[in-house]
Amino acid sequence: SATNSPKVKLDDTTKVVLTVDDSGTDKEILKVEEDGEATFKSKAGDTKFTVKNDGRIGFKGKTTTELNAISANTGDMAFDSTLGVFKIWRPS
């Protein structure tokens, strides 16, 4: 639909935007720019990660404590901002 979320906006000449409804307000959760850069956000507007137009992937860093609190699946990856490394979950 052009007027009700969820929707994909195709009316902008420089990007495609996917939104969801948040109490009657459109909240952007995915934006793909014409140069190929993609930004993934939560409904609250928190950027989760970005795929840059030169191929880099920017992860949202989390502290070691925050990562240890996540119940992740084997193979999931996140950036540990405390240690400055990527964490990949593996079977116990």
Side-chain angles (χ1 to χ4, degrees):
S1 168
T3 56
N4 298 314
S5 281
K7 64 185 167 186
V8 177
K9 290 185 179 181
L10 299 173
D11 56 348
D12 192 305
T13 59
T14 63
K15 63 185 175 288
V16 174
V17 178
L18 178 65
T19 67
V20 294
D21 180 66
D22 184 16
S23 302
T25 302
D26 291 341
K27 296 294 179 124
E28 178 182 294
I29 58 169
L30 170 62
K31 176 174 61 178
V32 181
E33 305 277 354
E34 66 182 352
D35 65 3
E37 183 168 306
T39 304
F40 297 79
K41 297 181 178 183
S42 68
K43 183 168 71 169
D46 186 27
T47 298
K48 296 303 181 180
F49 71 94
T50 304
V51 179
K52 305 290 186 180
N53 61 9
D54 60 5
R56 291 176 292 133
I57 297 177
F59 284 80
K60 177 185 178 180
K62 291 198 171 285
T63 66
T64 301
T65 300
E66 291 170 327
L67 290 178
N68 288 341
I70 294 173
S71 177
N73 295 315
T74 299
D76 288 353
M77 181 172 66
F79 184 72
D80 186 323
S81 60
T82 304
L83 301 175
V85 298
F86 283 97
K87 178 174 183 177
I88 300 175
W89 280 265
R90 60 187 173 152
S92 302

